Amino acid sequence: MQCDFDIIATRSVQADIEIGLVIHDLLMALGIERFKIRLNNRKILGGLLEKLQLAEKATPVLRALDKLGKIGAEAVAREMAETAGTSEEQSSAVLKLAEMTGDHEEIFGQLRALLEGSPSGVEGLAELEAVLVGMQAGGVPRERIALDVSIARGLDYYTGTIYETFLDDLPGIGSICSGGRYDNLAGLYTKQELPGVGASLGLDRLTAALEELDLLEKIQTPAPVLIPLFDKQLANNYLAMAAAIRRAGIGVEVYPEAKKLGQQLKYADRRGFRFALIQGSREAETHECQVKDLAGGESETVSTEPSFEPLIEYLRAKLV
Amino acid sequence: MQCDFDIIATRSVQADIEIGLVIHDLLMALGIERFKIRLNNRKILGGLLEKLQLAEKATPVLRALDKLGKIGAEAVAREMAETAGTSEEQSSAVLKLAEMTGDHEEIFGQLRALLEGSPSGVEGLAELEAVLVGMQAGGVPRERIALDVSIARGLDYYTGTIYETFLDDLPGIGSICSGGRYDNLAGLYTKQELPGVGASLGLDRLTAALEELDLLEKIQTPAPVLIPLFDKQLANNYLAMAAAIRRAGIGVEVYPEAKKLGQQLKYADRRGFRFALIQGSREAETHECQVKDLAGGESETVSTEPSFEPLIEYLRAKLV
């Protein structure tokens, strides 16, 4: 399951910044602090390919580039030359982009030089810088943002800004929140132009991560009251009692089996119930029940008439 | 998506009652009042087939029975005779069960006669009666419970009580909450016996139903404050202002495009924002911003220093 958030019908880079802020504030609100949002812009790689006159050969070039981590730069250049007919100059420029390292300023400096003369590349660079600066203006610490202009995969879908989010302590699970700008997306379905930018939080993956990081609260039974099934013949009495107490907003569990009372009370102790409501045939006749305080051990006899009201009042007072 | 609730590790009919109560209280909590929980017990049909010595031919018998609504009783009897070799007596007994009508008492009377001599049938009947009575003891009005001993489909999975839930106003969407007892379920996976009873709320179907019944609250933008993108050069100022106000728990939207202020304020009016925070270069220099009350129309100049605190205080006081 994914939780999506999108801003549609605007091409403004302000919307790209806002989506970055949502990713950040979302993770912070979930109690995660050690993560990085990786930013990229589709136009940077696109602009470079255009400038190198490789735009038409983008598919084989990117396919080769994808193997960089596995086979190394030399083999990638060789494959590019074979499948896309790239010159040495072309493949080395593409590899330079993919292997770019350094801090934000250094990377921007290298990109500016590499993309000079490519209008769309320069535009992508300006957008990337605006998102980087804007997210910081909006309160994201610099160290939670990483530039990653090398991402080559899965970019077909996006036309501008791209987001990925990795947990510092669990990099292996992959990006838990990814997205980007998709200015042409609606074009697949309608003639109306519908630009947008958005991202998806992968809920299953995130839940697994929160569990792993011990950030999920453990929940015990929230019901404070147990009604033991003390006398099977009175089961329907117990159900009516439980219904009335629940309607008053107090949680009740009715024990499902007519085991020995001692066993049922042991269960109550173990699960942390506060009170057990015990009613035998004698109490049922006199419209009463015993309220046993499970921590203290003492019992009091409380009336159940009219409509369980005295019993509810008693529990309310004790449970404050 | 489904929301499941189960009680496991007990064979007690009290657990079957409890699951029925959860179904009822769940729908009530969602604001639905006009619905029926249809109850059945797998052992009733099973016991009857056993008594008729048709247990081994259950599959063709049930397949024929499934067509009752479409092809009528006569054709069903014919198909049973052909595919399962049933006598007229056998098929008429099965059809009698499927066509049983009347109020709860009448149905129980007919079932008692029909199942006489079948231990498992009689057991199923006793369980069905216990669930029916127990649910009423637990607060479910009689008219929200329906007996439906004819359900033949999808019973392979269940071994006892079966629940289906239909909305009175939208019967066409089918059961929105179904389940049952599955005493042998864990047997598929482990040798350990793990009896259980439970049901699933079909969330997609339910959401569609709530929408259809106009029971879903419409949610408007919850942010009371809009910051128009009045001066593009100040965009990062606006982001910092928004971040500070949001940290104080007040919702803010930053308009994404530098349109004419009048257009941005029209948007604010239309969407029901309470305040617009307008800052031009002059106000940015003096660390101030104009707070425009969108309902009244009046503006006040408020300081943004230190750390937007006077502005946040001002908004807090106005938004109480």
Side-chain angles (χ1 to χ4, degrees):
Chain A
M1 191 165 57
Q2 295 190 159
C3 306
D4 292 2
F5 40 98
D6 296 84
I7 301 172
I8 55 170
T10 174
R11 291 181 196 283
S12 167
V13 75
Q14 294 303 123
D16 301 50
I17 296 168
E18 200 72 55
I19 291 294
L21 293 177
V22 172
I23 295 174
H24 178 263
D25 293 356
L26 184 57
L27 292 189
M28 292 297 285
L30 288 166
I32 301 174
E33 295 192 354
R34 293 172 41 76
F35 63 90
K36 268 175 201 60
I37 302 173
R38 286 196 203 160
L39 295 177
N40 189 9
N41 191 300
R42 177 71 180 89
K43 291 173 190 164
I44 291 174
L45 186 59
L48 179 67
L49 294 180
E50 218 175 81
K51 182 182 161 185
L52 298 170
Q53 296 182 301
L54 287 171
E56 315 243 303
K57 288 171 179 158
T59 308
V61 169
L62 295 184
R63 197 177 297 138
L65 193 58
D66 247 4
K67 300 179 186 163
L68 183 59
K70 270 193 206 155
I71 63 177
E74 227 171 293
V76 166
R78 229 175 6 249
E79 183 177 323
M80 279 186 197
E82 277 165 29
T83 60
T86 53
S87 68
E88 212 193 298
E89 198 193 340
Q90 286 175 319
S91 57
S92 92
V94 173
L95 282 163
K96 200 169 171 188
L97 181 82
E99 297 181 310
M100 216 162 258
T101 53
D103 65 21
H104 297 171
E105 277 69 26
E106 282 165 5
I107 292 179
F108 275 115
Q110 293 173 55
L111 285 172
R112 237 169 254 126
L114 196 65
L115 294 169
E116 211 190 326
S118 157
S120 78
V122 169
E123 191 180 294
L125 201 55
E127 288 175 8
L128 183 60
E129 199 160 9
V131 175
L132 182 77
V133 174
M135 281 175 65
Q136 290 178 73
V140 180
R142 193 188 185 86
E143 65 271 18
R144 290 213 186 97
I145 311 178
L147 296 179
D148 187 351
V149 291
S150 73
I151 314 173
R153 256 173 312 163
L155 297 194
D156 295 357
Y157 190 77
Y158 297 114
T159 55
T161 304
I162 293 167
Y163 317 86
E164 289 192 334
T165 313
F166 289 85
L167 300 180
D168 294 354
D169 299 315
L170 290 173
I173 64 164
S175 173
I176 55 163
C177 193
S178 309
R181 175 164 281 282
Y182 42 88
D183 277 345
N184 305 326
L185 179 73
L188 294 171
Y189 309 105
T190 95
K191 277 185 190 167
Q192 198 201 344
E193 279 205 338
L194 198 59
V197 56
S200 295
L201 180 75
L203 200 62
D204 298 332
R205 195 177 281 191
L206 178 79
T207 310
L210 290 173
E211 209 157 22
E212 181 97 16
L213 296 175
D214 214 16
L215 289 172
L216 278 188
E217 262 181 73
K218 306 268 182 303
I219 293 176
Q220 281 274 344
T221 173
V225 175
L226 180 79
I227 304 182
L229 190 52
F230 177 61
D231 180 344
K232 224 175 170 173
Q233 303 303 318
L234 295 173
N236 290 336
N237 268 27
Y238 303 154
L239 288 168
M241 199 188 290
I245 300 171
R246 285 171 183 159
R247 266 196 299 271
I250 301 170
V252 185
E253 188 174 322
V254 182
Y255 197 83
E257 303 198 30
K259 290 188 182 164
K260 281 184 188 154
L261 184 61
Q263 272 182 284
Q264 299 190 47
L265 292 178
K266 249 183 215 161
Y267 165 84
D269 258 345
R270 204 169 62 236
R271 293 294 299 271
F273 287 91
R274 299 268 315 272
F275 296 98
L277 310 186
I278 304 162
Q279 191 185 52
S281 52
R282 200 162 39 85
E283 285 98 345
E285 254 170 51
T286 56
H287 303 291
E288 287 173 325
C289 99
Q290 283 191 43
V291 182
K292 189 177 174 68
D293 182 322
L294 291 162
E298 70 278 9
S299 289
E300 279 193 70
T301 301
V302 180
S303 168
T304 58
E305 287 289 341
S307 310
F308 303 104
E309 278 167 23
L311 177 61
I312 290 167
E313 280 317 303
Y314 181 91
L315 290 171
R316 260 213 189 110
K318 290 278 186 178
L319 285 168
V320 165
Chain B
M1 191 165 58
Q2 294 191 160
C3 305
D4 292 2
F5 40 98
D6 297 83
I7 301 171
I8 55 170
T10 174
R11 291 181 196 282
S12 168
V13 75
Q14 294 302 124
D16 301 50
I17 296 168
E18 200 71 54
I19 291 294
L21 293 176
V22 172
I23 296 174
H24 178 262
D25 292 356
L26 184 56
L27 293 189
M28 292 296 285
L30 288 166
I32 301 174
E33 296 192 353
R34 293 172 41 78
F35 63 90
K36 269 179 201 57
I37 302 173
R38 287 196 203 161
L39 294 176
N40 189 8
N41 192 300
R42 177 70 178 91
K43 293 174 190 164
I44 291 174
L45 186 59
L48 179 67
L49 294 180
E50 219 176 81
K51 182 183 161 185
L52 298 170
Q53 296 182 301
L54 286 172
E56 314 242 303
K57 287 173 179 156
T59 308
V61 168
L62 294 185
R63 196 177 298 140
L65 193 59
D66 247 3
K67 301 178 185 163
L68 183 58
K70 270 192 207 156
I71 63 177
E74 228 171 292
V76 167
R78 231 179 0 254
E79 183 176 324
M80 278 187 197
E82 277 165 27
T83 59
T86 53
S87 68
E88 212 192 297
E89 198 194 339
Q90 286 174 320
S91 58
S92 93
V94 173
L95 282 163
K96 199 169 171 187
L97 181 81
E99 298 182 309
M100 217 162 257
T101 52
D103 65 21
H104 297 171
E105 277 70 26
E106 283 165 7
I107 291 179
F108 276 114
Q110 294 173 56
L111 284 172
R112 237 168 253 126
L114 197 63
L115 294 168
E116 212 190 326
S118 158
S120 78
V122 169
E123 191 180 294
L125 201 55
E127 288 175 9
L128 184 60
E129 199 159 10
V131 175
L132 182 77
V133 174
M135 282 176 65
Q136 290 177 73
V140 180
R142 195 189 183 87
E143 65 271 17
R144 290 211 187 100
I145 311 178
L147 296 179
D148 187 352
V149 291
S150 74
I151 315 174
R153 257 174 311 163
L155 297 194
D156 296 356
Y157 190 78
Y158 297 114
T159 55
T161 304
I162 294 168
Y163 316 86
E164 290 191 333
T165 314
F166 289 84
L167 300 180
D168 294 354
D169 299 315
L170 291 173
I173 65 164
S175 172
I176 54 163
C177 193
S178 310
R181 176 164 280 283
Y182 43 88
D183 276 345
N184 305 326
L185 180 72
L188 294 171
Y189 310 105
T190 96
K191 277 184 188 165
Q192 197 200 345
E193 280 206 337
L194 197 59
V197 56
S200 294
L201 180 75
L203 200 61
D204 298 332
R205 195 178 282 191
L206 178 77
T207 310
L210 289 173
E211 209 157 23
E212 180 97 16
L213 295 174
D214 213 17
L215 288 173
L216 277 189
E217 261 181 74
K218 305 271 181 303
I219 293 177
Q220 281 274 343
T221 173
V225 175
L226 180 78
I227 304 181
L229 190 53
F230 177 61
D231 179 344
K232 225 174 169 174
Q233 304 302 318
L234 295 174
N236 289 337
N237 268 27
Y238 303 154
L239 288 168
M241 199 188 290
I245 300 171
R246 285 171 183 159
R247 267 196 297 272
I250 300 171
V252 186
E253 188 174 321
V254 183
Y255 196 84
E257 303 198 30
K259 290 188 182 164
K260 281 184 187 154
L261 184 61
Q263 272 182 283
Q264 299 190 47
L265 292 178
K266 249 184 215 161
Y267 166 84
D269 257 345
R270 204 169 62 236
R271 293 295 299 272
F273 287 93
R274 299 269 314 273
F275 296 99
L277 308 186
I278 304 163
Q279 192 185 52
S281 52
R282 200 162 40 85
E283 284 99 346
E285 256 171 50
T286 55
H287 302 291
E288 287 173 325
C289 99
Q290 282 191 41
V291 182
K292 189 178 175 68
D293 183 322
L294 291 162
E298 68 280 8
S299 289
E300 279 194 69
T301 300
V302 181
S303 168
T304 58
E305 286 289 340
S307 309
F308 303 103
E309 277 167 23
L311 177 60
I312 291 167
E313 282 316 303
Y314 181 90
L315 291 171
R316 258 210 190 111
K318 289 279 185 177
L319 285 169
V320 164

